[in-house]
C-alpha cells in the first residue's frame, strides 16, 4: 500500500507525524500534492484548548496551496500540474443556501481540517489530499505557491473589507492587527479605501499594519481609540469599522467609533455574551454586518494578488518543514512571539531561505 506523510492532531499540545494510506480520487474529485499549508488562528486554538470543532484524531489545516496530481473520472475543469488553492467548505450544492450562493454556511457541508460540518474532515497538513474539484481555485502563473497558501485568510479579509456598503475613499477603522486584521488592511488598500485606522495592543503588529497600508496605527495601551477616530474624522466617526479581534469590548468600541448610518463589520469571533442597548444602534441607523468566511470573493482576492495589488510576502514570518510541524505551532503559541503567518512547507522547497526554521 502506498503511503503519505501527514501531521495528526491528537488533542491539545499533541501533533504527530504519521504515515497514512495515499488516497486516490473518485468521480468528480482531484488529488492535490500539497505544497504549503499555513497555520490558522483556529488551528492554533485547537492546539491550545480542546474543542468540539476539532475532534481528534484529525489532520488540521485549510490554508493551503498545491499541484493537481491525479484527476478523478469526469473532471474537466482542472488539468494535471495545475497550481491551486482551496475554498474550505465541501458543500452540498442543493440546499437553499447553496442555491442562493451562501455555500459557506451550507448545513450539509464538511469543512476542511475541522469537525464543524456534518462530520469531521481531514485537512491539509499532509503530503496529499483528495477533494471535490469544485472546491479548488486555480492560481495564475504569476502567483507563487507559497503566497497561494494565504489566499484563504486573504479572502476572509477581502470579504470583510467590502462587505455591506463599501465605497472607495471611505475612512475605515480596523480593530485588531492579527493576521485577519492585516489581510483586511491589505484588501482595503487594494480596494481604494481612503484613510485606514488600525488599533491593537502590540507595537510590532501595529508597525506591520502601517507598513501594509494603515495610515493611523493606534496603540490602545497608550491612546484612546475613540479620541483618535474623532480627531481623524473631524468628529464624524469612521464610515465603517471592522472588528478583527475576539475582545468583547471591541463591539462597544466599534459602535462608538462608527458614524451614524455607517457599517460595523463583525469578523472576530466574540464568544461571550455582551450587553447592549439596541437603541444605540437603531437610533443611529448603524448597520451591523456579519462576515463569516467568504464564498466566491476568493476569486477576486486571487485576481488582486495576480495584479500585484496585494503583497503577501510581509505576512509570512516563519516557514517550517512538515517533520517540524509541531514546532510551527509551538512558535505561534509561545508567549510574546512576533510571528504573523507561519507556513508549513510540505516538501521543503524553501529550505535554506531567510524564513526557514529548523
Ligand atoms: P489574532 O488573535 O492573531 O489577532 C487578534 C489581534 O487583536 C491581536 O493582535 C491582539 O493583540 C488584538 N487585540 C486584542 N484585543 C484588542 C482590542 N481590544 N483592541 C484592538 N486589538 C485587540 O487573531 P486573527 O487570526 O487575526 O483573527 C482575528 C479574529 O477573526 C479572531 O476572533 C478569529 O476567530 C476571527 N476569524 C474570523 C473569520 C471569519 O470568517 N469571520 C475567519 C478567521 C478568523
Ligand atoms: Zn448546501
Amino acid at each position: 500500500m502506498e503511503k503519505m506523510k501527514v501531521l495528526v492532531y491528537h488533542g491539545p499540545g499533541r501533533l504527530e507525524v504519521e504515515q497514512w494510506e495515499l488516497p486516490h480520487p473518485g468521480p468528480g474529485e482531484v488529488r492535490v500534492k500539497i505544497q504549503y499549508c499555513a497555520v490558522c488562528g483556529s488551528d492554533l486554538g485547537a492546539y491550545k484548548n480542546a474543542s468540539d470543532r476539532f475532534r481528534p484524531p484529525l489532520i488540521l489545516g485549510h490554508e493551503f496551496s498545491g499541484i493537481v496530481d491525479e484527476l478523478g473520472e469526469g473532471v474537466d475543469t482542472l488539468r494535471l500540474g495545475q497550481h491551486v488553492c482551496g475554498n474550505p467548505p465541501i458543500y452540498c450544492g442543493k440546499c437553499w443556501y447553496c442555491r442562493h450562493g451562501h455555500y459557506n454556511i451550507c448545513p450539509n457541508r464538511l469543512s476542511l481540517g475541522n469537525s464543524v460540518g456534518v462530520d469531521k474532515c481531514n485537512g491539509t497538513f499532509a503530503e496529499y489530499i483528495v477533494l471535490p474539484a469544485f472546491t479548488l481555485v486555480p492560481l495564475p502563473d504569476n502567483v507563487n505557491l507559497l503566497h497561494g497558501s494565504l489566499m484563504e485568510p486573504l479572502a476572509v479579509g477581502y470579504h470583510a473589507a467590502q462587505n455591506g456598503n463599501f465605497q472607495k475613499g471611505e475612512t475605515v477603522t480596523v480593530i485588531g492587527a492579527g493576521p485577519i486584521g492585516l489581510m483586511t488592511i491589505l484588501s482595503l488598500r487594494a480596494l481604494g479605501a481612503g484613510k485606514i485606522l488600525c488599533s491593537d495592543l502590540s507595537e510590532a503588529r501595529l508597525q506591520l499594519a502601517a507598513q501594509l497600508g494603515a495610515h493611523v496605527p493606534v496603540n490602545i495601551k497608550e491612546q484612546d481609540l475613540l479620541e483618535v477616530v474623532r480627531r481623524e474624522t473631524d468628529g464624524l466617526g469612521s464610515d465603517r469599522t471592522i472588528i478583527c479581534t475576539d475582545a468583547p469590548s471591541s463591539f462597544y468600541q466599534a459602535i462608538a467609533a462608527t458614524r451614524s448610518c455607517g457599517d460595523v463589520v463583525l469578523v472576530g469571533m466574540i464568544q461571550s455574551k455582551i450587553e447592549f442597548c439596541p437603541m444605540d444602534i437603531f437610533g443611529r441607523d448603524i448597520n451591523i454586518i456579519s462576515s463569516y468566511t467568504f464564498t466566491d470573493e476568493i476569486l477576486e482576492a486571487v485576481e488582486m494578488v495576480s495584479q500585484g495589488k496585494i503583497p503577501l510576502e510581509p505576512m509570512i514570518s516563519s516557514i517550517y518543514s512538515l517533520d517540524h510541524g509541531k514546532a510551527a505551532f509551538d512558535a505561534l503559541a509561545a508567549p510574546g512571539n512576533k510571528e504573523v503567518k507561519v507556513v508549513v512547507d510540505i516538501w521543503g522547497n524553501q529550505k535554506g531561505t531567510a524564513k526557514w526554521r529548523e
Side-chain angles (χ1 to χ4, degrees), residues 10 45 231 266 268 301 316 349 351:
H10 286 284
R231 191 178 71 220
L266 189 53
I316 300 172
N349 299 325
K351 198 173 172 131

Side-chain angles (χ1 to χ4, degrees), residues 117-162:
V118 285
D119 201 351
K120 70 176 174 181
C121 175
N122 286 311
T124 51
F125 286 112
E127 289 181 330
Y128 295 89
I129 191 162
V130 165
L131 286 168
F134 67 80
T135 66
L136 296 169
V137 177
L139 286 172
D141 289 345
N142 68 343
V143 175
N144 72 44
L145 281 158
L146 179 59
H147 296 168
S149 67
L150 299 187
M151 293 305 170
E152 199 275 347
L154 172 61
V156 171
Y158 188 82
H159 182 39
Q162 33 98 304

Side-chain angles (χ1 to χ4, degrees), residues 21-321:
E21 187 180 342
L22 182 68
H24 291 282
E29 293 180 334
V30 159
R31 188 170 73 192
V32 178
K33 185 175 182 183
I34 315 273
Q35 297 298 305
Y36 299 99
C37 184
V39 182
C40 171
S42 61
D43 299 323
L44 185 65
Y47 187 65
K48 288 179 172 169
N49 300 301
S51 154
D52 268 359
R53 297 166 75 93
F54 299 88
R55 291 199 305 273
L58 180 73
I59 303 173
L60 304 173
H62 58 273
E63 300 182 355
F64 75 99
S65 65
I67 302 172
V68 174
D69 169 71
E70 192 178 336
L71 297 173
E73 196 188 311
V75 175
D76 54 12
T77 49
L78 295 165
R79 56 180 165 71
L80 285 177
Q82 188 154 18
H83 291 188
V84 291
C85 61
N87 195 340
I90 302 171
Y91 51 92
C92 78
K94 296 184 185 123
C95 70
W96 189 93
Y97 298 98
C98 285
R99 284 187 287 110
H100 292 80
H102 304 294
Y103 57 82
N104 55 328
I105 44 172
C106 167
N108 309 314
R109 74 188 184 280
L110 290 171
S111 186
L112 208 53
N114 61 53
S115 330
V116 173
V118 285
D119 201 351
K120 70 176 174 181
C121 175
N122 286 311
T124 51
F125 286 112
E127 289 181 330
Y128 295 89
I129 191 162
V130 165
L131 286 168
F134 67 80
T135 66
L136 296 169
V137 177
L139 286 172
D141 289 345
N142 68 343
V143 175
N144 72 44
L145 281 158
L146 179 59
H147 296 168
S149 67
L150 299 187
M151 293 305 170
E152 199 275 347
L154 172 61
V156 171
Y158 188 82
H159 182 39
Q162 33 98 304
N163 209 336
N165 187 31
F166 176 79
Q167 307 285 320
K168 276 190 174 157
E170 67 182 31
T171 296
V172 186
T173 299
V174 176
I175 302 185
I180 296 296
L182 295 169
M183 290 296 196
T184 303
I185 290 167
L186 282 168
S187 303
L188 285 167
R189 198 183 68 164
L191 287 161
K195 193 181 281 184
I196 303 170
L197 294 87
C198 175
S199 67
D200 203 296
L201 311 112
S202 151
E203 200 50 45
R205 288 198 157 177
L206 286 167
Q207 273 174 21
L208 185 53
Q211 183 195 329
L212 298 181
H215 305 95
V216 188
V218 185
N219 189 333
I220 59 165
K221 285 201 280 194
E222 291 157 11
Q223 285 173 291
D224 179 59
L225 177 63
L226 268 188
E227 259 174 39
V228 179
V229 170
R230 290 198 181 117
R231 191 178 71 220
E232 293 290 332
T233 59
D234 292 331
L236 187 66
S238 316
D239 297 306
R240 66 172 40 215
T241 305
I242 307 181
I243 301 175
C244 295
T245 165
D246 58 7
S249 60
S250 62
F251 185 80
Y252 305 113
Q253 283 189 317
I255 302 294
T258 307
R259 68 160 164 74
S260 295
C261 306
D263 290 344
V264 170
V265 184
L266 189 53
V267 187
M269 296 191 191
I270 301 175
Q271 308 269 354
S272 53
K273 284 186 182 162
I274 45 180
E275 268 184 34
F276 62 91
C277 174
M279 268 316 281
D280 292 341
I281 297 167
F282 171 78
R284 294 178 47 221
D285 232 345
I286 285 188
N287 308 303
I288 308 267
I289 297 164
S290 60
S291 198
Y292 180 67
T293 64
F294 55 88
T295 55
D296 289 353
E297 291 82 13
I298 192 166
L299 305 176
E300 288 171 46
V302 168
E303 184 55 29
M304 285 284 192
V305 175
S306 175
Q307 289 175 11
K309 293 183 179 162
I310 299 184
L312 290 172
E313 188 57 37
M315 292 293 300
I316 300 172
S317 51
S318 293
I319 303 175
Y320 286 83
S321 67

